[in-house]
Amino acid sequence: MTETTAAFEEASGPNEFNVAADPVLLECLRRSDAGWAETDVRALGQQAGADHVRRWARQAEEFSPILRTYDRYGRRIDEVVFHPSWHRLMSSGVGAGLGAAPWIQGRPGAHVARAAKAFVWRQVEPGHMWPLEMTYAVVPTLRHEPALAARFEPLLTTPDYDYGLRAPEGKRGLLAAVSMGENKGDLGIRSITTSAFPTDDGTYLLTGRTVFTPAPMSDLFLALAQTPGGLSCFLVPRVLPDNTRNRIHLVRFNDALGNRTNALAEIEYNGAVAWPIGEEGSGATTISELVAMTRFNCILSTASGMRAGLTQAVHHVAYRHSTGKQLSHQPLMTNVLTDLAIETEAAITAVMHLAEATDRAAAGHSQKTAFRRLALVVCNYWICKRGSAHITEILDCLGGNGHLEESGIPKIYREMPMHSIRAGSSNLAAREALRVISKHPESLEAFFTELDHARGADRHLDAAVHFLHHKLRDPQQMQWRAGRILELMALTLQAALLVQHDNPAVADAFISSRLGGDWDGTFGTLSNKPDTQIIIARALAPLLDTEWTGPTLVRPDRIANTY
């Protein structure tokens, strides 16, 4: 047994580790007014790394949800049946405040704390997080109708998980879903054909069909429909206040690429009762914050998947040998792992900064609101794209073992592409960024203000910012080269944040590769040799469950000279 292997087994064992013992995550938590949540984040991370919780995740995917449209008497019931392990995961997630709790806490750093918890818990099993993420995202939209917010926000923000189809106000806690994907595909929300007609009692009746509704077992749906006044937003309950079923029929479950533990349903509204949110014709504006929070959840999910894959990779190479040498001693493998670790830290740093911006925006900080409007689209475009390339390289690190379901890597692999399309395709994100830059110039100025905080720290970063200033003032370049410009915007933002807040070794390696001109985006092509021992030691931290204290880990004798 090698010295490194002994360190792994003595520190945490082969199956259990603390997911939250992640240096970059904890550093982000502490500097973002959320240090008060560190104990809870660590406790959740310990639970997330426990073998019995991983067993829940395996069982939830092995026994995927079942749709029961009728009972034995032929009555329509439209119920979704999950394995008990799925309910255990959901109960733990809701109890940890991963739903809508931050919107009512009123405490500095509440959204950062929730993001940190979601980051570690999602590494257990990504599918069950969708209903929690959607519940988190719908609250700002619900507040456009204060009466509905007063009725349902307390139940959406409670730590109680209460599964089952019953009248929403008779339950201890609620989950919400978003039902907007129609058969036409990704043509934009204005092409929605679902219709809504007003009734005498102030409600509307919805008729239409959506082909992509995640978490159809949720208590409330947020939907868009065409009304006499134009595209409008609605809240649709699965069960009406009198405890009768609303006219929402689950047609079938979609056999999707990923998200196996979460039911993705095709549903029909057959005159379903719906409560309006906002004025008729204001649907696109009403859901703008929902879209923003969905983008944030996609970025957070990607960063979490990157971290889960990286943990698997660094664990794997500490045990495997090639050509008579331990994989972790092979220079090319060191290059690959270092590159993967750099990408992961940059993604985590960016998404936690966006969580902090959400806290500041909720507190009324106008500049952070403007920055967040553009930065969410930019990071959604680039970081979510990188997720698929990142997990593909992780598969390569693990070889044949990584392709086995037991490794957990195929689950992450299937999930990654969904983050790029969940809030709209890459082209849609690019067009949205152009729209924001054109209609909200204060967002672009706020973005550059964030970059200015790192002015003078590195010549490559300064040159990239100067180049962006030039390109973003040229409308013709913006239309044709939007993808490349958004990529550079994301990279410069990540670089600026790393320079200010992250470990110098990570920041230097990221900037010299991503902005230095000698890197083509393929992992393992770092030309300059960074301080690999520091970078990979940070990646190892959750497995060793140690606190990062500087250039070495707490137990340097156990890992010194390993990389």
Side-chain angles (χ1 to χ4, degrees):
M1 182 181 293
T2 66
E3 196 171 76
T4 302
T5 302
F8 273 110
E9 295 196 349
E10 180 180 333
S12 58
N15 295 320
E16 302 203 4
F17 58 97
N18 192 329
V19 178
D22 187 321
V24 64
L25 179 69
L26 296 176
E27 290 160 7
C28 290
L29 199 68
R30 292 164 185 163
R31 68 169 176 264
S32 302
D33 297 325
W36 51 267
E38 183 172 337
T39 299
D40 288 343
V41 172
R42 284 181 173 275
L44 190 63
Q46 191 68 56
Q47 184 182 359
D51 188 55
H52 74 279
V53 175
R54 301 276 164 170
R55 193 180 310 117
W56 294 349
R58 291 192 296 271
Q59 291 170 341
E61 182 156 30
E62 182 179 354
F63 302 98
S64 55
I66 298 171
L67 172 61
R68 290 183 176 163
T69 51
Y70 297 92
D71 67 11
R72 63 187 178 129
Y73 300 109
R75 294 175 301 197
R76 189 100 198 194
I77 56 174
D78 294 297
E79 293 192 350
V80 184
V81 180
F82 291 92
H83 189 273
S85 290
W86 190 88
H87 292 296
R88 296 184 186 108
L89 292 169
M90 286 295 297
S91 182
S92 297
V94 173
L98 303 187
W103 297 109
I104 64 167
Q105 287 178 334
R107 186 172 187 177
H111 290 277
V112 173
R114 182 262 173 195
K117 291 179 182 179
F119 174 85
V120 300
W121 191 247
R122 207 179 206 281
Q123 293 180 50
V124 176
E125 199 292 303
H128 82 286
M129 285 295 295
W130 276 49
L132 297 173
E133 292 165 354
M134 289 187 292
T135 301
Y136 172 65
V138 302
V139 169
T141 293
L142 192 60
R143 288 178 173 177
H144 284 267
E145 197 65 43
L148 290 178
R151 285 176 64 184
F152 297 117
E153 197 171 307
L155 293 169
L156 291 168
T157 55
T158 181
D160 295 323
Y161 174 62
D162 189 359
Y163 185 79
L165 291 180
R166 302 191 304 280
E169 288 170 291
K171 300 183 68 174
R172 299 190 312 276
L174 301 177
L175 294 173
V178 179
S179 179
M180 297 181 189
E182 293 197 346
N183 292 325
K184 286 186 175 182
D186 187 18
L187 298 177
I189 60 173
R190 296 189 185 279
S191 66
I192 284 175
T193 58
T194 298
S195 60
F197 297 97
T199 65
D200 293 338
D201 62 4
T203 64
Y204 284 69
L205 298 180
L206 263 62
T207 301
R209 188 176 183 127
T210 69
V211 72
F212 188 85
T213 296
M217 71 294 169
S218 298
D219 302 287
L220 303 168
F221 291 156
L222 203 67
L224 290 177
Q226 301 290 350
T227 68
L231 187 67
S232 306
C233 185
F234 297 92
L235 188 68
V236 190
R238 278 293 310 273
V239 180
L240 297 172
D242 64 1
N243 225 31
T244 59
R245 303 289 177 90
N246 205 355
R247 296 182 62 82
I248 303 170
H249 295 162
L250 307 188
V251 179
R252 63 169 181 162
F253 285 170
N254 293 315
D255 189 9
L257 171 66
N259 222 237
R260 300 291 179 84
T261 61
N262 172 37
L264 301 172
E266 184 172 341
I267 71 171
E268 286 183 345
Y269 295 115
N270 294 294
V273 175
W275 300 309
I277 301 177
E279 299 293 329
E280 276 197 7
S282 65
T285 302
T286 303
I287 68 161
S288 60
E289 188 63 18
L290 167 73
V291 176
M293 297 316 303
T294 301
R295 292 190 190 281
F296 172 78
N297 283 326
C298 291
I299 303 165
L300 181 63
S301 301
T302 301
S304 177
M306 285 181 175
R307 182 56 201 172
L310 178 65
T311 300
Q312 290 272 22
V314 295
H315 183 274
H316 180 83
V317 302
Y319 283 93
R320 297 298 187 268
H321 290 74
S322 177
T323 62
K325 293 178 65 177
Q326 195 168 318
L327 270 180
S328 57
H329 292 173
Q330 302 279 5
L332 181 55
M333 180 56 74
T334 303
N335 194 323
V336 171
L337 286 178
T338 302
D339 211 354
L340 289 168
I342 291 167
E343 190 82 20
T344 303
E345 289 214 19
I348 299 171
T349 300
V351 74
M352 295 303 288
H353 188 71
L354 291 171
E356 181 184 7
T358 300
D359 271 312
R360 299 290 180 86
H365 195 297
S366 59
Q367 185 171 349
K368 286 295 183 181
T369 300
F371 162 75
R372 177 174 164 272
R373 181 183 289 118
L374 179 58
L376 278 171
V377 186
V378 169
C379 291
N380 179 215
Y381 172 86
W382 176 245
I383 294 177
C384 293
K385 272 183 176 295
R386 293 296 291 166
S388 292
H390 191 277
I391 195 62
T392 299
E393 193 65 42
I394 296 292
L395 275 172
D396 199 50
C397 291
L398 272 69
N401 287 336
H403 288 257
L404 300 178
E405 289 291 341
E406 289 90 337
S407 72
I409 298 299
K411 181 188 298 184
I412 306 172
Y413 181 85
R414 290 191 295 269
E415 198 77 12
M416 279 297 190
M418 301 187 75
H419 305 324
S420 292
I421 64 171
R422 187 171 163 191
S425 66
S426 297
N427 276 356
L428 185 63
R431 283 164 29 211
E432 175 63 13
L434 296 181
R435 188 193 68 82
V436 171
I437 290 170
S438 173
K439 293 187 175 298
H440 302 279
E442 71 279 4
S443 289
L444 184 59
E445 295 307 318
F447 188 90
F448 277 117
T449 297
E450 293 285 334
L451 301 183
D452 285 343
H453 293 321
R455 186 194 297 270
D458 185 280
R459 62 185 179 86
H460 295 305
L461 176 55
D462 287 346
V465 174
H466 178 76
F467 179 81
L468 275 178
H469 269 290
H470 172 68
K471 292 299 180 184
L472 288 169
R473 300 297 189 267
D474 186 345
Q476 291 183 337
Q477 287 285 330
M478 281 294 294
Q479 290 292 333
W480 177 251
R481 302 196 65 199
R484 172 57 181 151
I485 293 171
L486 289 182
E487 172 187 335
L488 188 58
M489 289 177 73
L491 291 173
T492 54
L493 177 61
Q494 289 177 304
L497 294 173
L498 290 173
V499 163
Q500 296 173 77
H501 305 301
D502 208 83
N503 185 276
V506 177
D508 291 345
F510 183 89
I511 294 174
S512 65
S513 57
R514 275 65 174 170
L515 300 178
D518 190 16
W519 183 78
D520 65 357
T522 303
F523 290 104
T525 57
L526 299 174
S527 56
N528 298 322
K529 191 174 188 301
D531 195 330
T532 58
Q533 184 174 347
I534 290 178
I535 295 171
I536 299 180
R538 287 169 66 85
L540 280 165
L543 291 166
L544 297 173
D545 195 8
T546 55
E547 176 71 13
W548 176 259
T549 59
T552 59
L553 286 173
V554 170
R555 290 179 269 191
D557 58 305
R558 300 289 175 85
I559 63 165
N561 302 318
T562 300
Y563 295 94

